[in-house]
Amino acid sequence: MEEHGLGPNGGMLYCMEYLEANFDWLEERLRELGEEAYVLFDIPGQVELSTNHESLKGLVEKLTKLRFRLAAVHLCDAHYITDASKYISVLLLSLRTMLHLELPHINVLSKLSSTILTGYVDFNLDFYTEVQDLSYLENSLSASLPPRFASLNMAMISLIEDYSLVGFETLAVEDKNSMIHLTRVIDRATGYVFIPPAGSSAPPGTVDETGGPPVSRPNTYALFTTAAGPPKGDRSDVRDVQERWIDAKEEWDAYEKRQWRKEGEFVREEAARSRTIRERNPPLGSTQDADLA
C-alpha cells in the first residue's frame, strides 16, 4: 500500500487485480486439493468487488472453466430490516451483486441471534425474507426522508419488484439447525446435493463415469423433485425462525439451555461409564503379565 500509494479500499482492489493476473498460482493451489474438494472462498466485504469491479467476476469465470460449481452467498446483517430505508438499500445492493456476478445466488439475513428484532420490525419475518409487497414500506420511508424523495422511493421499490430476483434465507450461527438448513440450500444451489456416491450405477443410456469427479458423476436420484421442492428440516420454515428469534426468543433460550445441560450431563455419565468398564476389564496383556509374575 505504501509502495503504490493506496488506501485500504484501493489496496484491496489491487490485490484482486493481482490475483486475477496471476491466476495460474491459484489454479495450482486448487488442483493440489484434489477433485473431491469442497472449497469456500471468503471474499472481503468491500461492496465494489461484487457490484462493479471486474476482477472478481473474471476470477469467477476462470473458476467456472475449471469445472467448479460455484454459488455466491451474500451475508447481510439482520438489523437492516429494522429500518425501511436500510432494507431498501440492502435489497438494491443484493440485486446489483446478483446481476453482476451472474451466479446461483443466496442472500442471507445473518446474526439473527445477536440482533434484537422484537418490537423493532413492522411486519413478520417472511415479509422481509420473501420480499413481499414493498409498497407497504412507503409510509415508513416517507416518515424518515423528506417529501421530495417520495417519487425516488417508489421508483426504487418498482425496480426491485420488476426484477423479482431478491429473497433471503436466515442464519443464526449459534443454532445448529439454522446452519444445517443454510448448508442444504447452498448445496442445492451448487448442485452438490445431487451428486450420488462414488461407485453408484449410472442410469440406462448414459455414459458410465461412476469413477469420475463429482462434476461429471451421473445422478440416480429425483433431481426435479428435490430442486423444485422446499428444503425440509428444522428452521426450514421462516415461521419457525420467527418464533425462535422474535416471538418467543427468551422461552427458546431457556429451553435450549436446559437441553444443553442435559446433553452435558449425559456426556459426563457416558465418560464415567467408559472409565468404569476399562477398570473392570484391563487389557489382556496386563493380565497375562500379572499371572506370569
PDB file of all heavy atoms in Angstrom, residues 35-36 67 69 191-192 194-203 206-220 223:
ATOM      1  N   GLU A  35      -9.874 -33.535  -6.785  1.00  0.00           N
ATOM      2  CA  GLU A  35     -11.147 -33.337  -7.474  1.00  0.00           C
ATOM      3  C   GLU A  35     -12.346 -33.392  -6.542  1.00  0.00           C
ATOM      4  O   GLU A  35     -13.440 -32.974  -6.908  1.00  0.00           O
ATOM      5  CB  GLU A  35     -11.304 -34.389  -8.577  1.00  0.00           C
ATOM      6  CG  GLU A  35     -10.288 -34.246  -9.716  1.00  0.00           C
ATOM      7  CD  GLU A  35     -10.504 -35.273 -10.800  1.00  0.00           C
ATOM      8  OE1 GLU A  35     -11.077 -36.337 -10.501  1.00  0.00           O
ATOM      9  OE2 GLU A  35     -10.108 -35.017 -11.956  1.00  0.00           O
ATOM     10  N   GLU A  36     -12.179 -33.941  -5.336  1.00  0.00           N
ATOM     11  CA  GLU A  36     -13.298 -34.077  -4.404  1.00  0.00           C
ATOM     12  C   GLU A  36     -13.409 -32.890  -3.445  1.00  0.00           C
ATOM     13  O   GLU A  36     -14.211 -32.917  -2.517  1.00  0.00           O
ATOM     14  CB  GLU A  36     -13.139 -35.365  -3.593  1.00  0.00           C
ATOM     15  CG  GLU A  36     -13.118 -36.637  -4.435  1.00  0.00           C
ATOM     16  CD  GLU A  36     -14.496 -37.016  -4.926  1.00  0.00           C
ATOM     17  OE1 GLU A  36     -15.484 -36.557  -4.325  1.00  0.00           O
ATOM     18  OE2 GLU A  36     -14.601 -37.769  -5.915  1.00  0.00           O
ATOM     19  N   ARG A  67     -14.351 -26.109 -14.021  1.00  0.00           N
ATOM     20  CA  ARG A  67     -15.430 -27.031 -13.646  1.00  0.00           C
ATOM     21  C   ARG A  67     -15.777 -26.937 -12.159  1.00  0.00           C
ATOM     22  O   ARG A  67     -16.272 -27.891 -11.571  1.00  0.00           O
ATOM     23  CB  ARG A  67     -15.076 -28.473 -14.033  1.00  0.00           C
ATOM     24  CG  ARG A  67     -14.752 -28.647 -15.503  1.00  0.00           C
ATOM     25  CD  ARG A  67     -14.449 -30.073 -15.850  1.00  0.00           C
ATOM     26  NE  ARG A  67     -15.659 -30.878 -15.872  1.00  0.00           N
ATOM     27  CZ  ARG A  67     -15.658 -32.192 -16.099  1.00  0.00           C
ATOM     28  NH1 ARG A  67     -14.512 -32.834 -16.284  1.00  0.00           N
ATOM     29  NH2 ARG A  67     -16.792 -32.862 -16.115  1.00  0.00           N
ATOM     30  N   ARG A  69     -18.304 -25.813  -9.441  1.00  0.00           N
ATOM     31  CA  ARG A  69     -19.718 -25.459  -9.333  1.00  0.00           C
ATOM     32  C   ARG A  69     -19.844 -24.393  -8.250  1.00  0.00           C
ATOM     33  O   ARG A  69     -19.763 -24.669  -7.062  1.00  0.00           O
ATOM     34  CB  ARG A  69     -20.555 -26.679  -8.966  1.00  0.00           C
ATOM     35  CG  ARG A  69     -20.601 -27.739 -10.061  1.00  0.00           C
ATOM     36  CD  ARG A  69     -21.491 -28.894  -9.659  1.00  0.00           C
ATOM     37  NE  ARG A  69     -21.642 -29.867 -10.723  1.00  0.00           N
ATOM     38  CZ  ARG A  69     -22.420 -30.951 -10.635  1.00  0.00           C
ATOM     39  NH1 ARG A  69     -23.102 -31.176  -9.524  1.00  0.00           N
ATOM     40  NH2 ARG A  69     -22.506 -31.796 -11.636  1.00  0.00           N
ATOM     41  N   GLY A 191     -25.490 -27.658  -6.820  1.00  0.00           N
ATOM     42  CA  GLY A 191     -25.673 -28.976  -7.397  1.00  0.00           C
ATOM     43  C   GLY A 191     -24.994 -30.075  -6.610  1.00  0.00           C
ATOM     44  O   GLY A 191     -25.073 -31.251  -6.965  1.00  0.00           O
ATOM     45  N   TYR A 192     -24.336 -29.724  -5.509  1.00  0.00           N
ATOM     46  CA  TYR A 192     -23.617 -30.718  -4.709  1.00  0.00           C
ATOM     47  C   TYR A 192     -24.577 -31.751  -4.128  1.00  0.00           C
ATOM     48  O   TYR A 192     -24.220 -32.928  -3.972  1.00  0.00           O
ATOM     49  CB  TYR A 192     -22.861 -30.002  -3.588  1.00  0.00           C
ATOM     50  CG  TYR A 192     -21.943 -30.886  -2.784  1.00  0.00           C
ATOM     51  CD1 TYR A 192     -20.674 -31.200  -3.258  1.00  0.00           C
ATOM     52  CD2 TYR A 192     -22.332 -31.395  -1.545  1.00  0.00           C
ATOM     53  CE1 TYR A 192     -19.815 -31.999  -2.523  1.00  0.00           C
ATOM     54  CE2 TYR A 192     -21.483 -32.200  -0.806  1.00  0.00           C
ATOM     55  CZ  TYR A 192     -20.225 -32.497  -1.300  1.00  0.00           C
ATOM     56  OH  TYR A 192     -19.385 -33.297  -0.573  1.00  0.00           O
ATOM     57  N   PHE A 194     -27.018 -33.100  -5.488  1.00  0.00           N
ATOM     58  CA  PHE A 194     -27.454 -34.068  -6.486  1.00  0.00           C
ATOM     59  C   PHE A 194     -26.371 -35.087  -6.854  1.00  0.00           C
ATOM     60  O   PHE A 194     -26.599 -35.946  -7.692  1.00  0.00           O
ATOM     61  CB  PHE A 194     -27.881 -33.344  -7.763  1.00  0.00           C
ATOM     62  CG  PHE A 194     -28.951 -32.315  -7.538  1.00  0.00           C
ATOM     63  CD1 PHE A 194     -28.841 -31.049  -8.070  1.00  0.00           C
ATOM     64  CD2 PHE A 194     -30.070 -32.621  -6.774  1.00  0.00           C
ATOM     65  CE1 PHE A 194     -29.834 -30.102  -7.855  1.00  0.00           C
ATOM     66  CE2 PHE A 194     -31.054 -31.676  -6.554  1.00  0.00           C
ATOM     67  CZ  PHE A 194     -30.939 -30.419  -7.089  1.00  0.00           C
ATOM     68  N   ILE A 195     -25.187 -34.956  -6.277  1.00  0.00           N
ATOM     69  CA  ILE A 195     -24.088 -35.851  -6.636  1.00  0.00           C
ATOM     70  C   ILE A 195     -24.241 -37.176  -5.914  1.00  0.00           C
ATOM     71  O   ILE A 195     -24.255 -37.219  -4.688  1.00  0.00           O
ATOM     72  CB  ILE A 195     -22.733 -35.215  -6.282  1.00  0.00           C
ATOM     73  CG1 ILE A 195     -22.544 -33.905  -7.053  1.00  0.00           C
ATOM     74  CG2 ILE A 195     -21.589 -36.173  -6.605  1.00  0.00           C
ATOM     75  CD1 ILE A 195     -21.338 -33.126  -6.629  1.00  0.00           C
ATOM     76  N   PRO A 196     -24.361 -38.282  -6.617  1.00  0.00           N
ATOM     77  CA  PRO A 196     -24.503 -39.590  -5.963  1.00  0.00           C
ATOM     78  C   PRO A 196     -23.170 -40.080  -5.433  1.00  0.00           C
ATOM     79  O   PRO A 196     -22.109 -39.561  -5.805  1.00  0.00           O
ATOM     80  CB  PRO A 196     -25.007 -40.488  -7.092  1.00  0.00           C
ATOM     81  CG  PRO A 196     -24.418 -39.870  -8.319  1.00  0.00           C
ATOM     82  CD  PRO A 196     -24.401 -38.382  -8.091  1.00  0.00           C
ATOM     83  N   PRO A 197     -23.180 -41.072  -4.570  1.00  0.00           N
ATOM     84  CA  PRO A 197     -21.916 -41.614  -4.050  1.00  0.00           C
ATOM     85  C   PRO A 197     -21.073 -42.220  -5.157  1.00  0.00           C
ATOM     86  O   PRO A 197     -21.582 -42.674  -6.181  1.00  0.00           O
ATOM     87  CB  PRO A 197     -22.375 -42.694  -3.055  1.00  0.00           C
ATOM     88  CG  PRO A 197     -23.801 -42.372  -2.753  1.00  0.00           C
ATOM     89  CD  PRO A 197     -24.361 -41.728  -3.978  1.00  0.00           C
ATOM     90  N   ALA A 198     -19.767 -42.206  -4.950  1.00  0.00           N
ATOM     91  CA  ALA A 198     -18.857 -42.824  -5.918  1.00  0.00           C
ATOM     92  C   ALA A 198     -19.149 -44.316  -6.010  1.00  0.00           C
ATOM     93  O   ALA A 198     -19.396 -44.983  -5.013  1.00  0.00           O
ATOM     94  CB  ALA A 198     -17.408 -42.590  -5.499  1.00  0.00           C
ATOM     95  N   GLY A 199     -19.144 -44.834  -7.245  1.00  0.00           N
ATOM     96  CA  GLY A 199     -19.397 -46.251  -7.433  1.00  0.00           C
ATOM     97  C   GLY A 199     -20.839 -46.607  -7.682  1.00  0.00           C
ATOM     98  O   GLY A 199     -21.170 -47.769  -7.938  1.00  0.00           O
ATOM     99  N   SER A 200     -21.765 -45.629  -7.622  1.00  0.00           N
ATOM    100  CA  SER A 200     -23.167 -45.923  -7.885  1.00  0.00           C
ATOM    101  C   SER A 200     -23.371 -46.179  -9.375  1.00  0.00           C
ATOM    102  O   SER A 200     -22.646 -45.663 -10.223  1.00  0.00           O
ATOM    103  CB  SER A 200     -24.054 -44.774  -7.415  1.00  0.00           C
ATOM    104  OG  SER A 200     -23.707 -43.589  -8.096  1.00  0.00           O
ATOM    105  N   SER A 201     -24.370 -46.974  -9.716  1.00  0.00           N
ATOM    106  CA  SER A 201     -24.612 -47.342 -11.109  1.00  0.00           C
ATOM    107  C   SER A 201     -25.217 -46.177 -11.884  1.00  0.00           C
ATOM    108  O   SER A 201     -25.990 -45.395 -11.347  1.00  0.00           O
ATOM    109  CB  SER A 201     -25.562 -48.538 -11.171  1.00  0.00           C
ATOM    110  OG  SER A 201     -26.791 -48.231 -10.518  1.00  0.00           O
ATOM    111  N   ALA A 202     -24.843 -46.063 -13.143  1.00  0.00           N
ATOM    112  CA  ALA A 202     -25.359 -44.998 -13.993  1.00  0.00           C
ATOM    113  C   ALA A 202     -26.739 -45.364 -14.516  1.00  0.00           C
ATOM    114  O   ALA A 202     -27.047 -46.538 -14.732  1.00  0.00           O
ATOM    115  CB  ALA A 202     -24.405 -44.754 -15.163  1.00  0.00           C
ATOM    116  N   PRO A 203     -27.619 -44.377 -14.722  1.00  0.00           N
ATOM    117  CA  PRO A 203     -28.929 -44.652 -15.315  1.00  0.00           C
ATOM    118  C   PRO A 203     -28.773 -45.236 -16.709  1.00  0.00           C
ATOM    119  O   PRO A 203     -27.763 -45.010 -17.383  1.00  0.00           O
ATOM    120  CB  PRO A 203     -29.593 -43.260 -15.347  1.00  0.00           C
ATOM    121  CG  PRO A 203     -28.839 -42.451 -14.349  1.00  0.00           C
ATOM    122  CD  PRO A 203     -27.449 -42.970 -14.360  1.00  0.00           C
ATOM    123  N   THR A 206     -26.868 -43.700 -20.355  1.00  0.00           N
ATOM    124  CA  THR A 206     -25.935 -42.612 -20.093  1.00  0.00           C
ATOM    125  C   THR A 206     -24.507 -43.126 -20.137  1.00  0.00           C
ATOM    126  O   THR A 206     -24.254 -44.323 -20.040  1.00  0.00           O
ATOM    127  CB  THR A 206     -26.197 -41.970 -18.720  1.00  0.00           C
ATOM    128  OG1 THR A 206     -26.018 -42.974 -17.706  1.00  0.00           O
ATOM    129  CG2 THR A 206     -27.604 -41.421 -18.631  1.00  0.00           C
ATOM    130  N   VAL A 207     -23.575 -42.188 -20.288  1.00  0.00           N
ATOM    131  CA  VAL A 207     -22.157 -42.551 -20.301  1.00  0.00           C
ATOM    132  C   VAL A 207     -21.737 -42.920 -18.889  1.00  0.00           C
ATOM    133  O   VAL A 207     -22.013 -42.186 -17.933  1.00  0.00           O
ATOM    134  CB  VAL A 207     -21.309 -41.386 -20.835  1.00  0.00           C
ATOM    135  CG1 VAL A 207     -19.827 -41.743 -20.790  1.00  0.00           C
ATOM    136  CG2 VAL A 207     -21.739 -41.033 -22.245  1.00  0.00           C
ATOM    137  N   ASP A 208     -21.079 -44.047 -18.734  1.00  0.00           N
ATOM    138  CA  ASP A 208     -20.682 -44.531 -17.412  1.00  0.00           C
ATOM    139  C   ASP A 208     -19.422 -43.798 -16.954  1.00  0.00           C
ATOM    140  O   ASP A 208     -18.325 -44.042 -17.447  1.00  0.00           O
ATOM    141  CB  ASP A 208     -20.430 -46.036 -17.450  1.00  0.00           C
ATOM    142  CG  ASP A 208     -20.170 -46.602 -16.060  1.00  0.00           C
ATOM    143  OD1 ASP A 208     -20.309 -45.837 -15.085  1.00  0.00           O
ATOM    144  OD2 ASP A 208     -19.844 -47.790 -15.947  1.00  0.00           O
ATOM    145  N   GLU A 209     -19.599 -42.864 -16.034  1.00  0.00           N
ATOM    146  CA  GLU A 209     -18.473 -42.164 -15.432  1.00  0.00           C
ATOM    147  C   GLU A 209     -18.572 -42.241 -13.916  1.00  0.00           C
ATOM    148  O   GLU A 209     -18.340 -41.270 -13.201  1.00  0.00           O
ATOM    149  CB  GLU A 209     -18.441 -40.698 -15.882  1.00  0.00           C
ATOM    150  CG  GLU A 209     -18.159 -40.519 -17.364  1.00  0.00           C
ATOM    151  CD  GLU A 209     -17.927 -39.059 -17.723  1.00  0.00           C
ATOM    152  OE1 GLU A 209     -17.724 -38.258 -16.796  1.00  0.00           O
ATOM    153  OE2 GLU A 209     -17.953 -38.726 -18.913  1.00  0.00           O
ATOM    154  N   THR A 210     -18.929 -43.402 -13.407  1.00  0.00           N
ATOM    155  CA  THR A 210     -19.126 -43.560 -11.968  1.00  0.00           C
ATOM    156  C   THR A 210     -17.847 -43.324 -11.181  1.00  0.00           C
ATOM    157  O   THR A 210     -17.897 -43.003  -9.994  1.00  0.00           O
ATOM    158  CB  THR A 210     -19.651 -44.969 -11.657  1.00  0.00           C
ATOM    159  OG1 THR A 210     -18.775 -45.945 -12.257  1.00  0.00           O
ATOM    160  CG2 THR A 210     -21.051 -45.150 -12.212  1.00  0.00           C
ATOM    161  N   GLY A 211     -16.690 -43.508 -11.830  1.00  0.00           N
ATOM    162  CA  GLY A 211     -15.434 -43.277 -11.132  1.00  0.00           C
ATOM    163  C   GLY A 211     -14.867 -41.900 -11.365  1.00  0.00           C
ATOM    164  O   GLY A 211     -13.758 -41.604 -10.915  1.00  0.00           O
ATOM    165  N   GLY A 212     -15.609 -41.031 -12.047  1.00  0.00           N
ATOM    166  CA  GLY A 212     -15.117 -39.701 -12.373  1.00  0.00           C
ATOM    167  C   GLY A 212     -15.273 -38.728 -11.226  1.00  0.00           C
ATOM    168  O   GLY A 212     -15.763 -39.069 -10.147  1.00  0.00           O
ATOM    169  N   PRO A 213     -14.863 -37.485 -11.451  1.00  0.00           N
ATOM    170  CA  PRO A 213     -15.004 -36.459 -10.409  1.00  0.00           C
ATOM    171  C   PRO A 213     -16.470 -36.117 -10.176  1.00  0.00           C
ATOM    172  O   PRO A 213     -17.340 -36.450 -10.995  1.00  0.00           O
ATOM    173  CB  PRO A 213     -14.233 -35.265 -10.996  1.00  0.00           C
ATOM    174  CG  PRO A 213     -14.280 -35.480 -12.473  1.00  0.00           C
ATOM    175  CD  PRO A 213     -14.232 -36.971 -12.671  1.00  0.00           C
ATOM    176  N   PRO A 214     -16.802 -35.432  -9.069  1.00  0.00           N
ATOM    177  CA  PRO A 214     -18.202 -35.127  -8.759  1.00  0.00           C
ATOM    178  C   PRO A 214     -18.947 -34.376  -9.838  1.00  0.00           C
ATOM    179  O   PRO A 214     -20.141 -34.583 -10.036  1.00  0.00           O
ATOM    180  CB  PRO A 214     -18.087 -34.294  -7.473  1.00  0.00           C
ATOM    181  CG  PRO A 214     -16.803 -34.707  -6.863  1.00  0.00           C
ATOM    182  CD  PRO A 214     -15.883 -35.012  -8.007  1.00  0.00           C
ATOM    183  N   VAL A 215     -18.241 -33.483 -10.570  1.00  0.00           N
ATOM    184  CA  VAL A 215     -18.937 -32.666 -11.568  1.00  0.00           C
ATOM    185  C   VAL A 215     -19.447 -33.476 -12.744  1.00  0.00           C
ATOM    186  O   VAL A 215     -20.347 -33.042 -13.462  1.00  0.00           O
ATOM    187  CB  VAL A 215     -18.020 -31.526 -12.067  1.00  0.00           C
ATOM    188  CG1 VAL A 215     -17.760 -30.547 -10.969  1.00  0.00           C
ATOM    189  CG2 VAL A 215     -16.719 -32.087 -12.606  1.00  0.00           C
ATOM    190  N   SER A 216     -18.880 -34.667 -12.988  1.00  0.00           N
ATOM    191  CA  SER A 216     -19.315 -35.479 -14.122  1.00  0.00           C
ATOM    192  C   SER A 216     -19.977 -36.782 -13.697  1.00  0.00           C
ATOM    193  O   SER A 216     -20.384 -37.561 -14.543  1.00  0.00           O
ATOM    194  CB  SER A 216     -18.109 -35.798 -15.019  1.00  0.00           C
ATOM    195  OG  SER A 216     -17.139 -36.553 -14.313  1.00  0.00           O
ATOM    196  N   ARG A 217     -20.104 -37.002 -12.393  1.00  0.00           N
ATOM    197  CA  ARG A 217     -20.683 -38.253 -11.917  1.00  0.00           C
ATOM    198  C   ARG A 217     -22.190 -38.265 -12.179  1.00  0.00           C
ATOM    199  O   ARG A 217     -22.878 -37.278 -11.933  1.00  0.00           O
ATOM    200  CB  ARG A 217     -20.396 -38.413 -10.422  1.00  0.00           C
ATOM    201  CG  ARG A 217     -20.498 -39.844  -9.909  1.00  0.00           C
ATOM    202  CD  ARG A 217     -20.078 -39.882  -8.453  1.00  0.00           C
ATOM    203  NE  ARG A 217     -18.680 -39.490  -8.308  1.00  0.00           N
ATOM    204  CZ  ARG A 217     -18.175 -39.027  -7.180  1.00  0.00           C
ATOM    205  NH1 ARG A 217     -18.953 -38.864  -6.118  1.00  0.00           N
ATOM    206  NH2 ARG A 217     -16.900 -38.717  -7.107  1.00  0.00           N
ATOM    207  N   PRO A 218     -22.752 -39.357 -12.682  1.00  0.00           N
ATOM    208  CA  PRO A 218     -24.189 -39.387 -13.002  1.00  0.00           C
ATOM    209  C   PRO A 218     -25.047 -39.347 -11.749  1.00  0.00           C
ATOM    210  O   PRO A 218     -24.625 -39.734 -10.663  1.00  0.00           O
ATOM    211  CB  PRO A 218     -24.347 -40.722 -13.734  1.00  0.00           C
ATOM    212  CG  PRO A 218     -23.231 -41.567 -13.217  1.00  0.00           C
ATOM    213  CD  PRO A 218     -22.084 -40.638 -12.989  1.00  0.00           C
ATOM    214  N   ASN A 219     -26.261 -38.894 -11.936  1.00  0.00           N
ATOM    215  CA  ASN A 219     -27.184 -38.747 -10.814  1.00  0.00           C
ATOM    216  C   ASN A 219     -28.300 -39.778 -10.938  1.00  0.00           C
ATOM    217  O   ASN A 219     -28.918 -39.913 -11.980  1.00  0.00           O
ATOM    218  CB  ASN A 219     -27.766 -37.331 -10.828  1.00  0.00           C
ATOM    219  CG  ASN A 219     -28.708 -37.103  -9.666  1.00  0.00           C
ATOM    220  OD1 ASN A 219     -28.743 -37.907  -8.739  1.00  0.00           O
ATOM    221  ND2 ASN A 219     -29.456 -36.036  -9.716  1.00  0.00           N
ATOM    222  N   THR A 220     -28.555 -40.492  -9.866  1.00  0.00           N
ATOM    223  CA  THR A 220     -29.582 -41.528  -9.889  1.00  0.00           C
ATOM    224  C   THR A 220     -30.791 -41.156  -9.042  1.00  0.00           C
ATOM    225  O   THR A 220     -31.636 -41.984  -8.779  1.00  0.00           O
ATOM    226  CB  THR A 220     -29.002 -42.851  -9.351  1.00  0.00           C
ATOM    227  OG1 THR A 220     -28.503 -42.653  -8.021  1.00  0.00           O
ATOM    228  CG2 THR A 220     -27.859 -43.328 -10.241  1.00  0.00           C
ATOM    229  N   LEU A 223     -34.027 -35.631  -9.357  1.00  0.00           N
ATOM    230  CA  LEU A 223     -33.483 -34.276  -9.433  1.00  0.00           C
ATOM    231  C   LEU A 223     -34.568 -33.213  -9.370  1.00  0.00           C
ATOM    232  O   LEU A 223     -34.501 -32.270  -8.592  1.00  0.00           O
ATOM    233  CB  LEU A 223     -32.689 -34.121 -10.731  1.00  0.00           C
ATOM    234  CG  LEU A 223     -31.340 -34.832 -10.829  1.00  0.00           C
ATOM    235  CD1 LEU A 223     -30.730 -34.559 -12.192  1.00  0.00           C
ATOM    236  CD2 LEU A 223     -30.403 -34.361  -9.754  1.00  0.00           C
TER     237      LEU A 223
END
